[in-house]
Amino acid sequence: MKILAIETSCDETSAAVIEDGRKVLSNIISSQIEFHKKYGGIVPEVASRKHIEVISPVVKEALEKAKAEFKDIDAVAVTYGPGLVGSLLVGICYAKAVAYALGKPLVGVNHLEGHLYANFLDHSDPPKFPFITLIVSGGHTHLVLVKDHGKYEILGRTRDDAAGEAYDKVARFLGLGFPGGPIIDKLAKEGNPKAIDFPRAMMSEEYGYDFSFSGIKTAVVNYVKKTRSSDLRTQITDIVASFQDAVVDTLVIKTIKAAKDKKIKTIVLAGGVSANSELRKRLKEGSIKEGFTVHIPPISLCTDNAAMIGCAGYYRMKNGHKSDMSMSAVAGAKL
Ligand code: KG4
Ligand code: ZN
């Protein structure tokens, strides 16, 4: 069974062909970063226009790479939210048109669920239920107990900024560029993560598994403001390494605690921030120490891509879900 999957929730136009749920026949990603960089963030109107320009060639390339034609497609999966509404609509309209023209089923996929399913693609054995997943992206930071396909219990979430958002905002404040995550990840390797003791927010019992990342962003701003600019240049690597240390500490400590409290032995990482080298390393080390199994997607499947949407769509269809032509974009869709 071949699924054509489409993802346009933010600034990547992506199309993939997935066979039998897990096999990636193609996964084409066209990034718009170059068009947004100069604004220091994603400009929604620019994003929708760029999606419209490239969606057809991206789908064509995905089919070609998979050595398939439209007539070989058995179903169409598409992200319906959360994301930028104008961007989502481009993918949804395209997916609807293809499904309608081919007379094949259409399935809408939640973007966060998509990230999780990056772990079910054919690069490794899929995680066994139940497991704890940490979904960390530019817009979300969720700690979730996954009982089965589609059965989620949200244990905690960020109360303000998402982890990726904190990376992006700190990088922008320091004038490092956009998106901040990969830039800080690289620079932090040259700095001392213990140089500055930035706060680890909401670590006490009363906050449970919730996160907060806006305080650390303010702490970085305050630190920079009170440091002489002549000293600052040499300190940037220490600042970003210490910032990253605090963010990763919080994410890893809470994830391991959730697994221990819930007596779950498998941990699954997902979302754009799961590309972070320090988070990957520390979550692996922490999990091994506790005797847990840990699943982390390959870097290429961490950030937005359509392969993960095709995989999630396959399992949704297996569970009897199907969307119809009334499906629309849901900017604030919940997991
Ligand atoms: O999942 P994603 O591609 O898009 C959303 O669904 O939001 O995640 C993008 C986020 C951005 O905030 C980006 O800075 C962050 O993931 N990111 C990273 C790394 N690579 C991407 N954050 C930290 N370290 C990285 N290596
Ligand atoms: Zn994403």
Side-chain angles (χ1 to χ4, degrees), residues 32-326:
Q32 308 175 352
I33 285 295
E34 287 310 316
F35 301 102
H36 300 283
K37 248 182 189 165
K38 58 174 177 275
Y39 306 107
I42 311 293
V43 184
E45 186 58 23
V46 173
S48 340
R49 284 163 193 265
K50 290 290 160 197
H51 285 307
I52 293 173
E53 283 174 23
V54 302
I55 183 102
S56 282
V58 166
V59 170
K60 190 164 173 260
E61 196 181 336
L63 288 169
E64 276 169 12
K65 178 113 192 278
K67 297 193 177 29
E69 294 178 31
F70 276 121
K71 67 173 173 42
D72 305 319
I73 297 302
D74 301 296
V76 183
V78 64
T79 309
Y80 68 85
L84 302 170
V85 78
S87 293
L88 288 163
L89 278 172
V90 176
I92 292 172
C93 290
Y94 195 95
K96 276 186 190 175
V98 173
Y100 185 73
L102 296 176
K104 299 290 179 184
L106 173 73
V107 61
V109 173
N110 181 297
H111 182 76
L112 299 177
E113 190 172 34
H115 273 302
L116 170 61
Y117 276 82
N119 287 283
F120 285 78
L121 287 164
D122 58 358
H123 52 83
S124 68
D125 288 336
K128 293 194 175 56
F129 299 104
F131 57 78
I132 296 284
T133 185
L134 173 68
I135 307 177
V136 261
S137 71
H140 296 82
T141 303
H142 274 32
L143 202 47
V144 186
L145 169 59
V146 185
K147 297 170 184 167
D148 201 343
H149 290 292
K151 297 218 160 45
Y152 306 114
E153 182 188 333
I154 311 273
L155 302 176
R157 53 161 66 90
T158 182
R159 294 197 184 179
D160 39 57
D161 290 355
E165 193 179 352
Y167 269 93
D168 295 340
K169 285 180 173 170
V170 164
R172 182 162 53 194
F173 173 71
L174 295 173
L176 299 175
F178 177 81
I183 300 169
I184 290 184
D185 191 354
K186 199 164 156 223
L187 266 184
K189 290 188 202 308
E190 294 158 31
N192 172 10
K194 304 295 170 206
I196 308 148
D197 189 17
F198 286 129
R200 273 76 172 148
M202 309 216 308
M203 294 308 274
S204 64
E205 248 347 284
E206 68 188 285
Y207 297 110
Y209 307 111
D210 278 354
F211 300 95
S212 163
F213 294 108
S214 76
I216 184 162
K217 178 192 65 193
T218 311
V220 171
V221 171
N222 290 342
Y223 182 86
V224 170
K225 281 189 176 156
K226 70 176 201 301
T227 308
R228 287 211 326 266
S229 60
S230 54
D231 296 335
L232 207 55
R233 208 157 299 132
T234 53
Q235 278 196 28
I236 288 286
T237 50
D238 283 351
I239 293 172
V240 294
S242 302
F243 158 78
Q244 175 163 278
D245 196 57
V247 172
V248 170
D249 243 7
T250 318
L251 293 172
V252 172
I253 290 170
K254 292 221 178 199
T255 305
I256 303 257
K257 183 172 182 326
K260 277 164 109 174
D261 291 352
K262 301 282 171 191
K263 303 196 172 20
I264 304 284
K265 298 230 169 287
T266 303
I267 291 180
V268 177
L269 186 60
V273 183
S274 59
N276 184 265
S277 56
E278 193 61 21
L279 176 60
R280 298 168 80 88
K281 184 173 135 238
R282 297 251 290 273
L283 191 66
K284 235 180 256 171
E285 285 169 359
S287 302
I288 290 167
K289 204 168 137 219
E290 298 295 337
F292 299 157
T293 306
V294 62
H295 293 258
I296 300 178
I299 306 265
S300 60
L301 295 173
C302 288
T303 43
D304 293 349
N305 67 87
M308 66 188 197
I309 301 300
C311 183
Y314 173 83
Y315 286 102
R316 273 188 77 73
M317 282 176 64
K318 251 180 105 172
N319 278 347
H321 291 277
K322 215 181 126 196
S323 307
D324 58 33
M325 291 296 149
S326 67

Side-chain angles (χ1 to χ4, degrees), residues 13-31:
T13 317
S14 182
V17 179
I18 303 298
E19 191 162 55
D20 299 332
R22 299 190 56 222
K23 190 163 193 280
V24 184
L25 299 183
S26 64
N27 188 24
I28 307 299
I29 304 165
S30 167
S31 171

